[in-house]
């Protein structure tokens, strides 16, 4: 009898965990958007008493940023771009507010294209659901660089992609999650460079560093930049390649990415 690989069980676990996490979308046709907060936060609805809800409208304090900023921001960005206008200024926030210059608007991040091609309410689910999937795929690429067993790779990937950090932030502040998931792709590109020393792997590092800025959460992007610089130094040292030339290489990669982000 042929033995079933442990990695198959891990794969099934990932699938079941994913179905459970997004069961409302897959089985109940729900949208991953806390629209009930519209009634819970704002007058006069928040002061109303309903049958069965005599203590007020129930809620969990998760997802408020999606309601108050990110979903409306996506709407404004999409409408402006579809009308042929560059969304430099958002007149709907107080007396007006910079839009592209607002880091969290993430106008230049590739997912913006999805919102231009399809209805926003349809794309929103895919936008949220794709983030843990991409995080898992990126971590698989990274961990495979170390020639680990398939089971170890899958377990490590699911621990990252379906971690508490990722599953909370995709609901509360989606740009945090899309910034965080890029770190695994960035590390993979650098590990690839250590082996191949190719221009392609260098360009991939520059692209991912730029996308981390475009993703829309400066605090985390800044932390990732510092972490990646330290990671490069440690890995160059471990592989016996730490030299003045490698430091110049690091400077070129970071400087090019920052110029593209600017």
């Amino acid at each position: 009898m042929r033995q079933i690989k442990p990695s198959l069980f891990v794969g099934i676990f990932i699938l079941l965990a994913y179905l459970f996490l997004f069961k409302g979308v897959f089985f109940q046709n729900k949208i991953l958007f806390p629209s009930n907060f519209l009634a819970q936060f704002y007058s006069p609805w928040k002061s109303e008493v309903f049958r069965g809800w005599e203590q007020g409208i129930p809620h969990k304090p998760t997802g408020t940023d999606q309601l108050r900023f990110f979903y409306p921001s996506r709407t404004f960005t999409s409408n402006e771009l579809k009308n042929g206008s560059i969304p430099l200024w958002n007149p709907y926030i107080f007396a007006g507010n910079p839009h592209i210059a607002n880091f969290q608007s993430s106008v230049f991040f590739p997912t913006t294209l999805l919102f231009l091609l399809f209805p926003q309410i349809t794309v929103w689910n895919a936008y949220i659901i794709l983030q843990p999937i991409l995080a898992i795929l990126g971590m698989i690429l990274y961990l495979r660089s170390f020639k680990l067993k398939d089971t170890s790779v899958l377990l490590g990937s699911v621990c990252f992609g379906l971690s508490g950090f990722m599953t909370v932030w995709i609901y509360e502040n989606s740009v945090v999650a899309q910034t965080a998931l890029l770190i695994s792709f960035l590390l993979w590109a650098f590990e690839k460079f250590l082996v191949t020393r190719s221009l392609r792997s260098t360009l991939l590092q520059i692209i991912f560093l730029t996308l981390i800025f475009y993703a829309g959460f400066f605090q985390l992007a800044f932390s990732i930049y510092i972490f990646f610089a330290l990671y490069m130094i440690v890995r160059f040292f471990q592989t016996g390649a730490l030299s003045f030339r490698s430091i110049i290489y690091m400077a070129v990669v970071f400087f090019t990415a920052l110029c593209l982000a600017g």
Side-chain angles (χ1 to χ4, degrees):
M1 184 176 179
R2 188 175 180 180
Q3 186 177 6
I4 300 176
K5 293 183 177 180
S7 57
L8 177 61
F9 289 105
V10 179
I12 293 174
F13 169 77
I14 294 174
L15 177 61
L16 293 176
Y18 218 79
L19 290 175
F20 176 78
L21 184 62
F22 298 110
K23 60 183 182 298
V25 176
F26 295 127
F27 304 115
Q28 300 171 1
N29 198 32
K30 291 184 176 181
I31 304 296
L32 296 170
F33 180 72
S35 57
N36 56 299
F37 286 177
L38 287 169
Q40 200 281 327
F41 281 134
Y42 302 109
S43 297
W45 306 282
K46 70 177 182 179
S47 58
E48 293 288 328
V49 175
F50 300 91
R51 181 185 302 175
W53 292 351
E54 286 75 13
Q55 305 303 318
I57 301 173
H59 79 289
K60 294 181 180 179
T62 301
T64 58
D65 288 346
Q66 303 283 48
L67 172 71
R68 293 176 171 178
F69 178 78
F70 292 103
Y71 193 88
S73 174
R74 287 284 178 181
T75 302
F76 178 74
T77 298
S78 299
N79 289 341
E80 290 294 292
L81 292 176
K82 288 177 181 178
N83 292 331
S85 301
I86 300 175
L88 297 172
W89 185 260
N90 187 340
Y92 303 110
I93 300 178
F94 296 107
N97 198 65
H99 189 71
I100 281 184
N102 184 326
F103 216 81
Q104 295 189 99
S105 63
S106 58
V107 174
F108 298 107
F109 199 72
T111 51
T112 299
L113 293 174
L114 294 175
F115 291 90
L116 297 179
L117 298 174
F118 304 99
Q120 179 162 321
I121 198 68
T122 302
V123 177
W124 188 259
N125 272 349
Y127 170 65
I128 300 298
I129 290 174
L130 276 174
Q131 291 185 17
I133 292 177
L134 291 174
I136 290 173
L137 292 177
M139 190 56 68
I140 287 175
L141 290 173
Y142 172 58
L143 294 178
R144 287 184 65 183
S145 302
F146 298 99
K147 311 298 182 184
L148 301 175
K149 294 182 179 179
D150 289 345
T151 306
S152 301
V153 170
L154 289 172
L155 281 173
S157 301
V158 74
C159 286
F160 176 65
L162 297 180
S163 63
F165 181 90
M166 291 295 297
T167 53
V168 168
W169 282 113
I170 58 174
Y171 290 112
E172 172 64 24
N173 184 334
S174 53
V175 299
V176 175
Q178 74 182 9
T179 303
L181 69 87
L182 289 169
I183 190 173
S184 53
F185 289 97
L186 179 61
L187 297 179
W188 163 71
F190 180 68
E191 290 298 329
K192 191 175 181 66
F193 169 79
L194 289 178
V195 175
T196 63
R197 304 287 172 166
S198 65
L199 176 61
R200 180 182 177 183
S201 58
T202 299
L203 291 176
L204 283 173
Q205 293 173 66
I206 293 171
I207 290 171
F208 290 130
L209 281 170
T210 305
L211 288 177
I212 285 170
F213 253 93
Y214 287 165
F217 198 72
F218 178 80
Q219 299 94 313
L220 187 55
F222 181 75
S223 299
I224 291 175
Y225 267 57
I226 294 176
F227 168 77
F228 185 55
L230 295 174
Y231 182 88
M232 294 173 82
I233 293 172
V234 170
R235 292 294 289 138
F236 274 134
F237 177 79
Q238 289 177 337
T239 56
L242 184 61
S243 63
F244 179 74
R245 184 177 180 180
S246 61
I247 299 299
I248 294 297
Y249 172 82
M250 291 173 55
V252 170
V253 169
F254 278 95
F255 180 74
T256 305
L258 287 171
C259 287
L260 289 174

